[in-house]
Amino acid sequence: MNELKRVVLFLPARRGLRGRVTIPGDKSVSHRAVLLGAVNDGPLTVHNFLASADTEATVAAVRALGVRVDVENGSDLRVYGEGWEGLREPEDVINVGNAGTLIRLAPGLVASCPFLCVFTGDASIRRRPMRRILEPLARMGADVAGRGGDSLPPFAIRGGKLVGLHHELGVASAQVKSCLLLAGLRAEGETTVVEPAATRDHTERMIAFAGGQVRREPAAGGAWSVSLRPVERLRLRDIRVPGDFSSAAFFIVAALLVPSSEVVVEDVGLNPTRTGLLDVLVRMGADLEVEMTDQSGPEPIGRVTARSSLLRATEVAPDEVPNVIDELPLFLLAAARAEGVSRLWGARELRAKESDRLASMAALLGGLGIAVKETDDGMEVVGNPGGWSGGRLESLGDHRIAMVGAVAGVASSEGVWVEDADCVAVSFPTFNAVLEQLGGETA
Ligand code: S3P
C-alpha cells in the first residue's frame, strides 16, 4: 500500500512576515555531539539538541552500539559515553533513515572497533556515494565491503587497528573529512585530510573543545589541510547547540522576498564556515543585520535581522560552494526574484544530496514560470523582480526542497502546493509553526 503523503498549500503572506523567532538546534552540531558523546570519557549533556528524524536516527545508532542516552527537560540529552571501550557490536543493521551525516560519520567512529557494523538507509541514502569514506577507511586498516563494488549502502565495516593517513579529498565534503578525523582519533600517528575548499569545521571545534589537538593550515591553491593525532580520552561535559543557520535561512530569505517583512532570528549559529549565504545575499543587495551575542563556546551564536529587499543578480563560484552548500536552493530562489541573470557553477555535489537538488530546483523554478538553464554543475537563473503567481512542487521527500517550496509559496501571489510536505521533519519538524508565528499561512 502507498503511504499517504500530505500536500500543503503555502499561501502568500499578504501582510508581510514579522516577528522574532528562535530556531531549533543545529543538525550538524547535534549529530556530532551525540557521536562524540558516545565515546566521551563520562556523561555529556547536550543542551538544545535538535529533535528531528535525522538526529533521532543518530541517538538510535549510538544506543544500538550500547551507549545509554536519556532525554532530559525536553530538549537536553545526556549521553553516557565510556570511551571507545564502551561500544558494543550492534545486534542488527544500523538503519540511518534519511541521515546522510550519520551514515558518513558513524563509520569513522567504529572503524577502530573490533566488531561488525552494517549500515543502510532509505532509498535516497542507498543512492549516495560512499566510496569516498570506505576507500580511505580501508587504507587506514578497517575491513569494508559494500554494494556496487564498495561504493553504496548497505555496507559493512569490521573495525581494526588503524594507522593515520594523508588523504586529499576529491570533492570538498565536511562529512568525509569528519569521518576520517573521527577514525584518526584512534589511529596510530597523524591523520591529515586536505580539502580543496574550506568546509564546515564543527567536528574540529568539538574535538578541540574535548581536549584534542587539531591543526588547520592553508595549503596550495586555496586548499586547507586539517591534521590530528590520536587522543587518550575526550573530555566533554556540556555542549550548547546553537540554532540551525540552515533552518533560519528559510525565514531570512522569506523576509527578503515578501514585502513589508522584518524577521529577527535569535540564538542562531554563526560559524563562518556555515554562513556564506549571508555574503551572497549582501552582494544581492539584501537588507541584513548580523550581531554576535555569545562567543564563549565552540560555536559562535548571534542574531540575524532580515527586511524586505530589492535584489540584484550575482554569481556563486566553486570556492564559495561548500560554505553555502545546503542553502544553494534558497540562493536559486532568491535569484529568481533578482534583477538580472544569476549564475551558479562548481556545484555538481548538489546532485548527490537528499534529491538531485539541481534537477529539483530547475523543476520548481520552471513550474513558477522562471527561465532557468540547468548545467551539469550549476544553473543560470533569469530573475523576475515581478515575482510569480504560484505552482505545485514535488518535494521528492527532500526536506530542504519542501521548505524552499514553502518560501516560494509565501512569496507568491496565489500560493504554492508542496507534495509530501511532512518530510520537513527530517531537519525541522516545527517549520510550519515558526512560519505561522511570523504571519505565514497554510491550507
Ligand atoms: C554536513 C555536510 C554537508 C551538508 C550536510 C551536512 C555535515 O555535506 O550538505 O547537510 O554535517 O557535515 P557534505 O559535507 O557531504 O557536502
Side-chain angles (χ1 to χ4, degrees):
M1 206 176 80
N2 280 337
E3 273 175 72
L4 215 54
K5 303 234 163 103
R6 214 160 59 97
V7 184
V8 174
L9 173 62
F10 289 87
L11 292 160
R14 295 196 202 283
R15 286 190 297 267
L17 295 172
R18 305 192 71 84
R20 191 174 285 271
V21 288
T22 56
I23 300 291
D26 186 278
K27 182 153 81 73
S28 292
V29 176
S30 294
H31 280 303
R32 286 159 171 80
V34 174
L35 292 171
L36 282 173
V39 291
N40 190 49
D41 184 32
L44 161 69
T45 305
V46 185
H47 303 276
N48 196 36
F49 175 76
L50 169 68
S52 72
D54 265 21
T55 43
E56 275 156 17
T58 296
V59 171
V62 305
R63 283 184 176 143
L65 287 162
V67 180
R68 178 176 157 200
V69 183
D70 294 344
V71 180
E72 293 179 349
N73 311 320
S75 66
D76 291 355
L77 277 195
R78 199 145 163 89
V79 186
Y80 292 85
E82 295 176 16
W84 273 264
E85 297 72 25
L87 301 183
R88 301 278 169 272
E89 182 171 81
E91 286 177 14
D92 202 350
V93 170
I94 294 183
N95 188 328
V96 304
N98 192 241
T101 302
L102 174 57
I103 204 166
R104 294 249 176 78
L105 268 61
L109 198 74
V110 298
S112 59
C113 298
F115 53 67
L116 185 80
C117 275
V118 183
F119 293 91
T120 192
D122 68 8
S124 149
I125 284 290
R126 295 194 306 273
R127 285 193 294 269
R128 295 179 64 178
M130 294 296 153
R131 190 186 308 285
R132 49 180 77 179
I133 59 161
L134 295 178
E135 186 271 326
L137 287 179
R139 272 200 288 132
M140 290 177 89
D143 273 343
V144 306
R147 200 165 60 88
D150 302 339
S151 70
L152 293 170
F155 59 81
I157 297 193
R158 188 184 295 281
K161 202 169 149 21
L162 303 181
V163 285
L165 90 171
H166 178 103
H167 185 67
E168 304 208 350
L169 300 181
V171 178
S173 164
Q175 293 178 347
V176 179
K177 171 181 68 175
S178 299
C179 172
L180 302 180
L181 294 180
L182 292 177
L185 287 173
R186 294 276 284 179
E188 196 189 310
E190 193 170 64
T191 296
T192 299
V193 183
V194 180
E195 45 183 4
T199 66
R200 65 191 68 192
D201 63 356
H202 305 300
T203 307
E204 295 93 306
R205 285 173 186 251
M206 212 178 279
I207 290 172
F209 196 58
Q213 306 274 329
V214 188
R215 223 175 56 238
R216 192 178 150 73
E217 292 162 342
W224 286 89
S225 148
V226 184
S227 306
L228 57 66
R229 294 195 155 269
V231 288
E232 276 301 311
R233 325 184 172 294
L234 296 171
R235 297 178 198 279
L236 295 165
R237 292 296 166 256
D238 282 281
I239 287 179
R240 177 182 171 204
V241 180
D244 196 321
F245 178 80
S246 297
S247 298
F250 296 104
F251 301 109
I252 292 170
V253 170
L256 303 180
L257 300 188
V258 175
S260 310
S261 295
E262 181 176 287
V263 169
V264 183
V265 185
E266 298 280 3
D267 298 332
V268 65
L270 292 177
N271 178 323
T273 62
R274 286 288 296 283
T275 52
L277 177 72
L278 297 177
D279 303 325
V280 174
L281 293 173
V282 165
R283 283 206 302 274
M284 297 176 82
D287 182 353
L288 291 174
E289 270 171 47
V290 182
E291 294 155 77
M292 287 287 184
T293 54
D294 180 2
Q295 299 201 68
S296 60
E299 296 287 339
I301 296 175
R303 174 186 303 125
V304 177
T305 305
R307 301 184 190 89
S308 321
S309 306
L310 292 177
L311 301 178
R312 52 181 177 269
T314 191
E315 298 196 332
V316 173
D319 57 329
E320 212 173 10
V321 163
N323 202 317
V324 200
I325 186 79
D326 291 339
E327 292 70 58
L328 288 172
L330 271 172
F331 156 63
L332 295 171
L333 184 73
R337 277 291 269 279
E339 180 79 55
V341 180
S342 293
R343 217 171 131 231
L344 163 69
W345 74 103
R348 190 179 295 111
E349 195 57 14
L350 280 183
R351 297 198 183 277
K353 295 293 176 189
E354 284 82 332
S355 69
D356 174 340
R357 287 184 173 159
L358 288 174
S360 302
M361 283 309 296
L364 169 63
L365 298 180
L368 295 174
I370 302 295
V372 299
K373 193 164 116 211
E374 185 183 340
T375 62
D376 177 44
D377 68 345
M379 201 176 296
E380 260 179 36
V381 179
V382 183
N384 176 4
W388 45 81
S389 55
R392 191 173 179 102
L393 163 73
E394 177 100 63
S395 68
L396 301 168
D398 183 334
H399 56 129
R400 297 201 197 280
I401 295 297
M403 290 185 275
V404 172
V407 174
V410 296
S412 71
S413 58
E414 285 168 22
V416 169
W417 294 92
V418 176
E419 292 181 16
D420 192 8
D422 290 337
C423 71
V424 302
V426 160
S427 63
F428 197 171
T430 54
F431 174 80
N432 288 9
V434 176
L435 181 63
E436 280 162 23
Q437 216 182 315
L438 293 170
E441 283 178 72
T442 59

